[in-house]
């Protein structure tokens, strides 16, 4: 699924957060959304997910048939900054939450979660409690939960913020490996993730363009 932003503008009070944003995020690619702190990266992610409305401009989702639709949070799997795992539950339990929330049965959710953990290289840690997982493992659990939804869009907000360089390289390789499963947009200022991305959208200037 493709995401297109046209002339996006948004202010909070007297503060202009987004100014004339034009960007295209192509299907089945990893795109880094970059810019300094306060440039509007997280805000643009929220706008594209349908959680925040623009003052003016437009955001469209384009499916494989070329049909344009409005942003829909139901099509977006959100990976937040930092771990958001339930500490008293296992890695498998934390991933199973996603398909269970979508109405899948227990057996189906278990199978889906195991596949997602396999995809992120964590099946061997499926029964480990979240409290004993490393920061890098917890971030991979977050991506496994996103994969377990089977949603066509994955938005990640500063996913390497709490990771060291070694784990960030692991995350970068993971993202590239997952690009055939979803369109992945990563808000980041981490050079490792930026270099790994197949496209970059910068919010450093007033008019934003994809590269």
């Amino acid at each position: 699924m493709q995401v297109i932003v046209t002339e996006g503008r948004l202010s909070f009070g007297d503060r202009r957060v987004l100014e004339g944003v034009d960007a295209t995020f192509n299907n089945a690619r990893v795109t880094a959304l970059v810019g300094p702190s306060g440039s509007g990266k997280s805000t643009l992610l929220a706008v594209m997910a349908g959680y925040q409305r623009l003052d003016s401009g437009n955001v469209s989702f384009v499916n494989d048939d070329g049909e344009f639709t409005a942003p829909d949070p139901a099509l977006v799997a959100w990976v937040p900054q930092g771990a958001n795992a339930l500490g008293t539950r296992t890695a498998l339990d934390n991933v199973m939450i996603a398909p269970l929330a979508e109405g899948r049965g227990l057996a189906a959710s278990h199978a889906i979660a195991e596949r997602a953990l396999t995809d992120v290289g964590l099946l061997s840690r499926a029964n480990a409690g979240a409290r004993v997982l490393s920061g890098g493992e917890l971030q991979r659990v977050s991506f496994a939960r996103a994969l377990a939804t089977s949603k066509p869009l994955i938005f990640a907000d500063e996913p390497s913020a709490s990771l060291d360089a070694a784990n960030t390289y692991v995350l970068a390789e993971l993202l590239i490996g997952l690009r055939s499963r979803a369109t992945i947009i990563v808000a980041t200022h981490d050079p490792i993730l930026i270099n790994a991305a197949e496209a970059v959208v910068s919010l450093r200037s007033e008019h934003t363009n994809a590269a």
Side-chain angles (χ1 to χ4, degrees):
M1 180 165 285
Q2 190 180 55
V3 182
I4 299 175
V5 184
T6 306
E7 286 296 312
R9 291 180 171 81
L10 177 65
S11 297
F12 296 135
D14 295 332
R15 179 172 174 248
R16 179 59 63 88
V17 181
L18 301 174
E19 174 63 52
V21 176
D22 290 300
T24 298
F25 301 85
N26 287 317
N27 180 46
R29 297 180 78 180
V30 178
T31 301
L33 178 60
V34 306
S37 296
S39 61
K41 298 188 298 296
S42 297
T43 299
L44 183 55
L45 278 186
V47 166
M48 292 190 296
Y51 298 131
Q52 174 72 51
R53 296 189 66 178
L54 291 169
D55 294 332
S56 64
N58 186 64
V59 179
S60 297
F61 290 172
V62 187
N63 66 22
D64 292 340
D65 295 324
E67 298 170 332
F68 285 68
T69 61
D72 183 354
L75 299 176
V76 179
W78 189 280
V79 178
Q81 180 175 331
N84 62 340
L86 298 174
T88 61
R89 309 300 297 186
T90 66
L92 182 65
D93 291 338
N94 272 280
V95 178
M96 283 180 65
I97 290 171
L100 286 170
E102 293 181 333
R104 304 291 187 102
L106 188 62
S109 295
H110 188 280
I112 291 168
E114 283 194 334
R115 286 198 299 270
L117 285 170
T118 299
D119 288 339
V120 302
L122 278 184
L123 184 60
S124 64
R125 301 286 277 162
N127 295 317
R131 287 178 176 169
V132 302
L133 297 177
S134 69
E137 289 172 333
L138 286 170
Q139 194 59 271
R140 282 189 279 165
V141 167
S142 293
F143 275 97
R145 186 166 51 239
L147 284 175
T149 66
S150 297
K151 294 181 179 180
L153 298 166
I154 297 177
F155 292 176
D157 190 9
E158 299 285 1
S160 65
S162 59
L163 303 183
D164 59 18
N167 276 305
T168 302
Y169 278 113
V170 171
L171 177 60
E173 292 179 1
L174 168 66
L175 293 176
I176 293 300
L178 298 179
R179 68 189 185 279
S180 63
R181 302 277 300 276
T183 299
I184 302 173
I185 304 173
V186 183
T188 185
H189 59 267
D190 192 308
I192 295 173
L193 295 184
I194 294 169
N195 289 336
E198 299 161 291
V200 176
V201 168
S202 175
L203 293 181
R204 288 185 180 278
S205 61
E206 284 191 351
H207 296 284
T208 302
N209 296 290

